[in-house]
Amino acid sequence: MSLKVAIIGSGPAGIYTAEALMRQAPGEVSVDVLERLPTPYGLVRYGVAPDHTSIKSIADYLRRVLELPGVRFLGGVELGKDVEVADLLDCYDAVVYCTGAMLDRRLGIPGENLPGSVAATDFVNWYCGHPDTPADRFVLDSPEVAVIGVGNVAVDVVRILAKTAEELRATDVPQEVLARLAGSRVKTIHMIGRRGPEHAKFTLKELRELGELANADVRVRPEESDADVTGASRQVRGNVEVLKGWAARTPAGLPRLLDVRFRMRPVEILGEDRVEALRLERTRATENGVVGTGEFETLRVGMVLRSVGYQSVPLPGVPFSETTKTVPNVAGRVRDREYVAGWLKRGPTGVIGTNKSDAAETARTLLADLAGRAPVRRADLDPLLASRGVSPVTYRQWLAIEEAEIALARTLGRGKRVKLLGLAAMLGASGR
Ligand SMILES: Cc1cc2nc3c(=O)[nH]c(=O)nc-3n(C[C@H](O)[C@H](O)[C@H](O)COP(=O)(O)OP(=O)(O)OC[C@H]3O[C@@H](n4cnc5c(N)ncnc54)[C@H](O)[C@@H]3O)c2cc1C
Ligand SMILES: NC(=O)c1ccc[n+]([C@@H]2O[C@H](COP(=O)([O-])OP(=O)(O)OC[C@H]3O[C@@H](n4cnc5c(N)ncnc54)[C@H](OP(=O)(O)O)[C@@H]3O)[C@@H](O)[C@H]2O)c1
């Protein structure tokens, strides 16, 4: 067997799929990883918080996969723009879609489209230096902001808002973004959960970090931190214990305040030309879920960051369920010779490691399906791309971008690397 496989997307799911294929069928598979950006690693580069450097170092593991003989990285190639599904099926024995979940979920409340009401996806892209989001996208000129949602992304977002630029100086945050963070006027950050603390999605380690911030006090109302945790998991009991501890704290008078709220749901974002306030309603749990109590509160915030989860976007020519916002599949199989892995397969939940077993399952299905098939002579993708004027960013060119980022950090006297901002800067550094 000598299989040619195209993997679309170079986030953890795509790279773990490449690794699983090479491991499960050593010497029998060659893999092209096609990525719309000039840079690999998906959310490991453009999602994981810049101050979580040990998690970022997963990129060192993923890098080794891209360097395996038989694996090729082709950056700057987008499915739906530069290539279509039919092209891929002509050129490869199988295609694996691993394009993640790039879009924010919506709240569905009035005022959501006002300027100043922004998706966490956008804010995360900004501080991570994603080329889709320019440096001038955010001006942190409001003393009071609200972050809706109590998942780990919300925790990342409030932590970045609460820290000083000096605390983030040693991270890879682009220099232009760091300058804007240094000019931040944010004083109070409200993080808002619509249910009780026992239902919060954040994990204990991430929550604890918020209580140790050097630049911000943390506040929780005793009545909102209270919860019945009988029979709950260790994680939930731990979260509630930490929150109760915070409720008993005396503020140290630090420059910023992190105000953690529970059982409050957003009902309207208010403002004329931009966000001026957020209206919340207290909730209570019933057998049928959360209901409003008719008790309202208005926060005078100038920015609302909606961190209520991600969703995948359909790929042209690929089946997609509008209900689950995923590609329907059985153990990773979509249709004959088409497969899926990662967030596009199972939805936007789970840590980086979750994608490893997920990718291994897809690789197993693919190899079992194609075992014993008569070899087919496939077309070559490179001349097809060239005929369309598409010149992929090679792995070596990506390494040149990395080197430029390391050199920039040295020049600026900052940590290990500072991200280049914008496609032009990256392509310039790639030596093309
Ligand atoms: C803000 C944030 C922070 C996170 N932090 C952590 C953390 O600290 N620790 C942890 O364990 N997990 C974390 N996670 C979860 C983790 O990032 C995900 O589990 C994981 O990245 C999902 O992998 P994926 O490959 O499915 O998607 P992604 O990582 O999103 O990769 C998808 C890739 O596909 C590319 N792509 C998209 N469309 C196309 C197209 N049409 N053609 C070609 N390429 C395309 C994208 O550019 C991207 O590179 C975080 C998630 C988010 C959102
Ligand atoms: N350090 C890390 O390990 C790390 C960092 C970042 C992300 N991640 C992972 O990435 C995945 C995605 O994280 P996420 O934070 O985007 O998603 P998430 O964990 O699903 O959290 C989403 C939050 O939004 C709330 N929400 C949803 N709809 C809402 C609405 N209409 N109004 C008010 N609140 C609403 C949810 O509340 P309900 O529960 O009430 O629906 C929940 O609190 C998770 O698996 C996460 O663990 C991990």
Side-chain angles (χ1 to χ4, degrees), residues 212-293:
E212 290 153 13
L213 290 170
N215 190 49
D217 278 310
V218 61
R219 176 175 77 191
V220 190
R221 286 151 185 76
E223 66 281 13
E224 290 185 9
S225 67
D226 206 25
D228 179 5
V229 290
T230 330
S233 67
R234 234 174 100 181
Q235 162 85 22
V236 168
R237 282 185 278 123
N239 281 348
V240 172
E241 197 180 309
V242 166
L243 290 161
K244 281 187 175 166
W246 293 353
R249 270 192 194 181
T250 310
L254 295 172
R256 289 183 177 142
L257 172 67
L258 170 55
D259 178 35
V260 188
R261 306 296 307 269
F262 292 102
R263 304 190 187 97
M264 297 300 279
R265 69 174 180 195
V267 287
E268 187 172 3
I269 300 174
L270 306 159
E272 283 289 317
D273 306 318
R274 57 166 293 164
V275 172
E276 290 168 25
L278 170 69
R279 193 153 189 258
L280 301 170
E281 182 180 20
R282 183 160 298 286
T283 64
R284 71 184 161 81
T286 68
E287 276 179 4
N288 303 321
V290 165
V291 295
T293 60

Side-chain angles (χ1 to χ4, degrees), residues 107 150-153 156 194-195 201 206 307-309 343 348-350:
L107 286 171
V150 283
N152 277 332
V153 172
D156 281 349
R194 63 178 166 179
R195 300 193 280 163
K201 295 267 173 67
E206 280 62 30
S307 183
V308 296
W343 274 16
T349 58

Side-chain angles (χ1 to χ4, degrees), residues 55-378:
I55 303 176
K56 286 242 172 246
S57 66
I58 289 178
D60 293 334
Y61 180 92
L62 302 179
R63 158 200 304 273
R64 287 201 284 273
V65 178
L66 288 183
E67 290 175 356
L68 289 174
V71 177
R72 239 179 17 141
F73 172 72
L74 289 86
V77 182
E78 182 171 341
L79 173 60
K81 182 171 153 250
D82 304 308
V83 283
E84 302 303 329
V85 169
D87 303 324
L88 296 171
L89 292 173
D90 279 348
C91 295
Y92 297 91
D93 296 298
V95 184
V96 190
Y97 307 112
C98 305
T99 52
M102 301 195 292
L103 204 67
D104 61 297
R105 278 199 214 125
R106 307 287 295 175
L107 286 171
I109 59 171
E112 192 170 9
N113 295 326
L114 276 172
S117 160
V118 278
T121 44
D122 213 10
F123 190 68
V124 169
N125 276 350
W126 178 69
Y127 65 64
C128 287
H130 194 291
D132 284 357
T133 307
D136 62 2
R137 172 74 181 84
F138 287 94
V139 186
L140 301 174
D141 56 358
S142 308
E144 216 166 319
V145 303
V147 177
I148 314 278
V150 283
N152 277 332
V153 172
V155 170
D156 281 349
V157 164
V158 302
R159 202 178 59 252
I160 297 296
L161 285 167
K163 282 192 171 182
T164 60
E166 198 44 43
E167 287 176 278
L168 297 168
R169 208 183 129 68
T171 70
D172 65 7
V173 167
Q175 186 68 3
E176 300 84 336
V177 172
L178 194 70
R180 280 168 181 261
L181 287 168
S184 166
R185 295 181 53 209
V186 173
K187 292 270 178 249
T188 305
I189 306 147
H190 306 275
M191 182 166 79
I192 297 157
R194 63 178 166 179
R195 300 193 280 163
E198 70 278 28
H199 297 298
K201 295 267 173 67
F202 42 59
T203 39
L204 186 53
K205 183 168 162 284
E206 280 62 30
L207 179 69
R208 279 207 182 109
E209 231 180 311
L210 296 182
E212 290 153 13
L213 290 170
N215 190 49
D217 278 310
V218 61
R219 176 175 77 191
V220 190
R221 286 151 185 76
E223 66 281 13
E224 290 185 9
S225 67
D226 206 25
D228 179 5
V229 290
T230 330
S233 67
R234 234 174 100 181
Q235 162 85 22
V236 168
R237 282 185 278 123
N239 281 348
V240 172
E241 197 180 309
V242 166
L243 290 161
K244 281 187 175 166
W246 293 353
R249 270 192 194 181
T250 310
L254 295 172
R256 289 183 177 142
L257 172 67
L258 170 55
D259 178 35
V260 188
R261 306 296 307 269
F262 292 102
R263 304 190 187 97
M264 297 300 279
R265 69 174 180 195
V267 287
E268 187 172 3
I269 300 174
L270 306 159
E272 283 289 317
D273 306 318
R274 57 166 293 164
V275 172
E276 290 168 25
L278 170 69
R279 193 153 189 258
L280 301 170
E281 182 180 20
R282 183 160 298 286
T283 64
R284 71 184 161 81
T286 68
E287 276 179 4
N288 303 321
V290 165
V291 295
T293 60
E295 181 194 332
F296 294 93
E297 182 178 329
T298 301
L299 302 176
R300 295 276 150 214
V301 294
M303 181 163 81
V304 174
L305 278 154
R306 309 178 313 259
S307 183
V308 296
Y310 284 58
Q311 56 177 304
S312 295
V313 288
L315 292 166
V318 179
F320 191 76
S321 160
E322 281 302 336
T323 317
T324 60
K325 305 278 184 199
T326 55
V327 170
N329 69 91
V330 177
R333 182 191 310 106
V334 182
R335 290 187 296 216
D336 186 35
R337 302 201 289 126
E338 290 177 80
Y339 300 86
V340 64
W343 274 16
L344 183 65
K345 173 183 174 187
R346 36 168 238 282
T349 58
V351 291
I352 294 164
T354 321
N355 300 291
K356 194 166 185 177
S357 45
D358 176 306
E361 179 194 59
T362 296
R364 271 194 302 277
T365 304
L366 184 158
L367 291 171
D369 285 354
L370 272 65
R373 285 208 187 175
V376 178
R377 197 171 157 70
R378 302 277 171 203

